[in-house]
Every structure is written in C-alpha cells, then in structure tokens.
Amino acid sequence: MHFPSQRKSSVPAARNEVIRAGFAAHYEENMAGLIRFVMRYGATPYEAADAAQGAYIEAFRVCHLLTCPAAWLRKVAFRQYLRQAPRPQEELTDEVPDRPAFSCPLEKVVLKDEETQVYEALASCR
C-alpha cells in the first residue's frame, strides 16, 4: 500500500530530471536562433523574444509528444508573433530591470548592420 507521504520509486523522478535537463540544453542552444527566425518576419527583438518564449512554454507542456521539436517551435513562435496585438510605440521612462535568475536571451542575439538592413527590407515588403 502506498501512502501520500511516502515517496514513490526514484525512477520516474530521475527520468523527469533527464527530460528537464535535455529541454534546458535545447533551450540554451536554440533560443537565439528561434528569436532570429521570428525577426526575419519583421518582429522587433523584443517581440521575437516574447514569441520564442511563448513557444518554449508550449513546448514544455507537450515535449513528450514532439517528433520534430525545431520545426514545431518555429511554427508556434511564428504564430505567437502573429497573435501579438500591434501596440502603439511607448516611450520608456525607467530602465528595464535585470533578470535576476538568468541572462536575457536577447544578449545572445547580436545583429550585424547588414542583417539589420536585410530584416528592415523584408519587413517593408509585407
């Protein structure tokens, strides 16, 4: 008999840790590329980062079902970007706060002048 206060076998917990570690590694390796992918469709770096983050949140919920996570993430991130409502430009009055637990994924996205010009040209073609 199993009581709620008793701990079950550590095998599922170990498997859970392996899944989380694999997901975290995939996130670290591919987040910057996913942000760039969304930016190719005209998103600002912040819009692209929001869309990519939303895609990874959804991916974490269904990671055990994904057969091709890279393609799935690109599709979901692009759809997340399209769902974002256009917002009027606001002038920031304060500094953007630092993220205490980890570095911002935008730090990994460094665009060269040529890339910026290409993205602007692509955005104007829409």
Side-chain angles (χ1 to χ4, degrees), residues 16-91:
N16 223 5
E17 291 301 318
V18 170
I19 291 171
R20 286 181 185 206
F23 189 85
H26 188 277
Y27 178 92
E28 288 294 323
E29 292 173 14
N30 298 296
M31 182 60 155
L34 187 58
I35 291 171
R36 285 191 203 105
F37 172 80
V38 178
M39 288 176 66
R40 288 184 191 129
Y41 290 96
T44 66
Y46 294 104
E47 291 170 336
D50 283 345
Q53 183 66 30
Y56 267 102
I57 290 169
E58 292 298 318
F60 188 73
R61 293 180 183 140
V62 296
C63 65
H64 60 286
L65 300 173
L66 299 178
T67 56
C68 186
W72 190 91
L73 281 165
R74 285 191 302 268
K75 182 179 277 191
V76 172
F78 178 65
R79 288 179 180 171
Q80 290 273 351
Y81 166 62
L82 292 178
R83 283 189 206 120
Q84 292 176 0
R87 296 179 189 96
Q89 293 289 355
E90 297 178 13
E91 186 175 328

Side-chain angles (χ1 to χ4, degrees), residues 100-112:
F102 57 90
S103 64
C104 179
L106 292 177
E107 293 172 358
K108 296 179 183 176
V109 181
V110 178
L111 296 179
K112 297 177 183 170

